[in-house]
Every structure is written in C-alpha cells, then in structure tokens.
Amino acid sequence: MTNVLWLQGGACSGNTMSFLNAEEPSAVDLVTDFGVNVLWHPSLGLELGDQVTSILDACVRGETNLDVFVFEGTVIQAPGGTGSWNRFCGRPMMDWVKELAGAAEFVVAIGDCATWGGIPAVPPNPSESTGLQFHKKRAGGFLGAGFRSRSGLPVINIPGCPAHPDWITQIIVALATGRAGDLALDEYHRPRTFFTTFTQTGCTRNMHFAYKVSTSEFGQRKGCLFYDLGCRGPFTRSPCNRILWNRVSSKTRAGMPCIGCTEPEFPHHDLAPGTVFATPTTLGLPNEVPPGMTKRGYLTVTAAAKGVAPDWAKEDMFVV
C-alpha cells in the first residue's frame, strides 16, 4: 500500500481536472490495481475541517507513513514572506508544504505553477509565488536547491499547463511499484522518459516544417505553425505528439501553436500586444532557431527547402 497525499496551493485546479481524465492508467486504476491509498485529495477526499488537519498532522509526526506528497499550484509566500494569503487548516499552506515535504518518501510537483511558479510567478508577482524547487529556470524555489526527500531524490517535476494526465499517473505508478530507481531526471528534475524529445517529434506538420510551408491562421490543417504563429514545438521538451491528449489530438494537430508550457520560461513572451502568437524575426530570420542548428545553417536549409517544396506539401492533407 502506497500512501499518497495531494494538496493544492495557488492553483486553478487544472492539473486535478487533467489527472481525473487519465486513461493509462486511470485514477481508479491507481487504487484498484496498483495499491495506491489516497490519504486525501481536495476533489476526492471525504474528510473536512479538523479531519483533514488530523491527516496532515499524522503525516508530519510520522504516525502515518507518507510515501508520495503531490503538490499542485504555486507556493504563495505573500504578504512579506508570511504566506498568509493562502491559509489551509489553520496555517499558511507554505508551512504545511515544508513539513510534509520533509516527511515524504517522494515529493512530486504537478504542473507549471508547482514546478517553477508558472504564470503567477511572472513579474511583478504580487502573490510572491514560486515553485517547489525552481523559480523559472533558477534552482531553489521554496524548498531550496539542496532539498532531497527521504528517498534521496529531489522534487520530481511534471510540468505542463496542465500536465498530461498519463504523465502524472505513470510516474505515481513507478513510485508505487518500487521503480523510483528507474527514473532518470533532467536538469530541471523532469522525468526523461517524457521530457527528452521535443513536441515537434511526431507532429503531423513536420513535412511542412521541412519544406517551409507556413500557415498564418489558427485551425488550418496544412502548413507549419512555427514560421508565422510562434509555435514553440521545436524548442519544447514534451511528448504531446507522441502521447496524444484524450488519445486523439494535440494542439498542433488541431491547428494551434505549441505555447511551450512544459518549459520553465513559460509564459516565454513579454505578453505585449501582437507578440503571443507570433514568431519574432529580424530581417526575416527567426530570433530563435531549433536547438542544434546555427542561424546560418537554418537560413541555408530553409532557403533550399522552400525552393524545392513539392506542390503536394501545400495541399490539405485531410480529405474528409
């Protein structure tokens, strides 16, 4: 039996809603097939008030073994580092986070807000929000760069806005079945099994990218979204086009650009009018080119590709 406790800080509950839509495995499968015991969850827990406080206190004191502490949302430290803007069970939530993280075998941050602060941590950040172990790209966050749970692992980060449900449940299964040692984490503590390849991997528009056939409107079924609409697919590490959402689609397959929500820079734009869904360029050359490629090499390749693009690459690939 693996005890899991899930709390929410400064959150929209989007990751909870995503989690409840998991399919492989589902949230129910965690309990029935993998021995997960949900001590409490804001949307699933039956306990209220003092009953919840008793659960948390028992975990902190070690009377109840806390195997996996899951946190969704930012750690709110306002005003003035007191955390009083986000109180839970009679105390600032950040105090519970520190004590429960120290008592847990594993700590898992779900979603951008919990991993590196997400949208709330964008300046001026009035809520003084931060992630558990990162603040944007900077290691540290609320628990500090040196934090390690009882297992010896740092916070396991599963980013996204929201995170894909199956990323969440599959990592919980790995922890519940004694396979934590198989988890290889990258420099941002993301599991490499999900966050090694780029969103562009598996994108149905890769041929359009290769031939520099662009689209300039949302929802179009042909053309690459990178050249004009600011798609972050070539820069964002996620399996969104390999592990499809609802087993059906992804943002790029639906004709919407990837917004890079699994990266610590998210939201990466300055949010000025006209910059969110646009590809910043200088003299027609994107300010950023795909990793591993020089701007000179990019210019050479795309110029050649555009000149030899076949007519079929410009046609609608869907006939229904």
Side-chain angles (χ1 to χ4, degrees):
M1 184 73 72
T2 300
N3 288 331
V4 175
L5 175 69
W6 183 311
L7 295 184
Q8 290 179 354
C12 66
S13 300
N15 289 285
T16 280
M17 289 186 279
S18 180
F19 166 68
L20 295 177
N21 280 286
E23 296 181 63
E24 294 186 3
S26 70
V28 174
D29 292 336
L30 293 181
V31 176
T32 59
D33 297 345
F34 295 101
V36 169
N37 175 41
V38 181
L39 293 173
W40 196 76
H41 181 289
S43 297
L44 302 176
L46 299 177
E47 297 81 4
L48 298 171
D50 291 342
Q51 297 169 323
V52 181
T53 304
S54 295
I55 293 172
L56 304 186
D57 282 336
C59 290
V60 170
R61 291 194 300 264
E63 296 169 5
T64 298
N65 190 48
L66 179 54
D67 296 299
V68 183
F69 173 42
V70 177
F71 193 69
E72 168 185 6
T74 64
V75 180
I76 293 177
Q77 302 171 97
T82 65
S84 294
W85 282 8
N86 182 25
R87 294 181 65 82
F88 184 71
C89 288
R91 305 173 63 196
M93 175 63 85
M94 71 179 197
D95 292 348
W96 286 117
V97 169
K98 180 163 289 187
E99 293 182 5
L100 291 166
E105 186 74 13
F106 302 101
V107 179
V108 182
I110 304 291
D112 278 353
C113 291
T115 52
W116 23 74
I119 293 173
V122 172
N125 189 6
S127 60
E128 300 174 32
S129 283
T130 191
L132 285 185
Q133 205 168 11
F134 281 86
H135 187 86
K136 299 303 181 182
K137 296 183 74 171
R138 188 174 70 249
F142 176 67
L143 295 175
F147 169 81
R148 295 295 182 268
S149 65
R150 287 195 291 119
S151 67
L153 288 176
V155 174
I156 300 168
N157 285 331
I158 307 178
C161 194
H164 191 291
D166 293 348
W167 307 344
I168 302 171
T169 54
Q170 288 179 30
I171 292 302
I172 291 177
V173 164
L175 299 179
T177 55
R179 292 186 290 117
D182 296 333
L183 292 179
L185 306 180
D186 69 9
E187 68 271 31
Y188 297 116
H189 302 176
R190 299 173 296 192
R192 289 185 180 274
T193 186
F194 296 126
F195 299 101
T196 295
T197 59
F198 293 96
T199 306
Q200 189 176 16
T201 305
C203 179
T204 55
R205 299 169 187 266
N206 276 338
M207 66 176 181
H208 300 129
F209 177 82
Y211 288 120
K212 203 178 181 182
V213 177
S214 183
T215 185
S216 57
E217 297 180 17
F218 299 140
Q220 285 189 343
R221 298 184 296 183
K222 61 180 180 179
C224 181
L225 298 151
F226 167 70
Y227 297 106
D228 291 305
L229 294 181
C231 181
R232 301 291 299 172
F235 311 99
T236 302
R237 294 192 183 275
S238 87
C240 287
N241 278 305
R242 292 189 293 113
I243 304 175
L244 299 179
W245 290 75
N246 296 322
R247 297 289 174 271
V248 174
S249 193
S250 68
K251 289 180 68 68
T252 59
R253 294 187 184 207
M256 292 295 292
C258 166
I259 57 176
C261 75
T262 58
E263 293 293 333
E265 298 97 334
F266 175 80
H268 60 92
H269 288 293
D270 59 14
L271 302 184
T275 67
V276 178
F277 294 112
T279 301
T281 61
T282 301
L283 298 176
L285 183 66
N287 293 345
E288 290 182 86
V289 297
M293 178 178 284
T294 65
K295 288 191 175 182
R296 185 172 184 175
Y298 170 88
L299 188 61
T300 301
V301 169
T302 55
K306 189 172 184 179
V308 299
D311 290 339
W312 55 261
K314 304 172 186 177
E315 297 174 355
D316 192 334
M317 70 181 81
F318 298 95
V319 295
V320 177

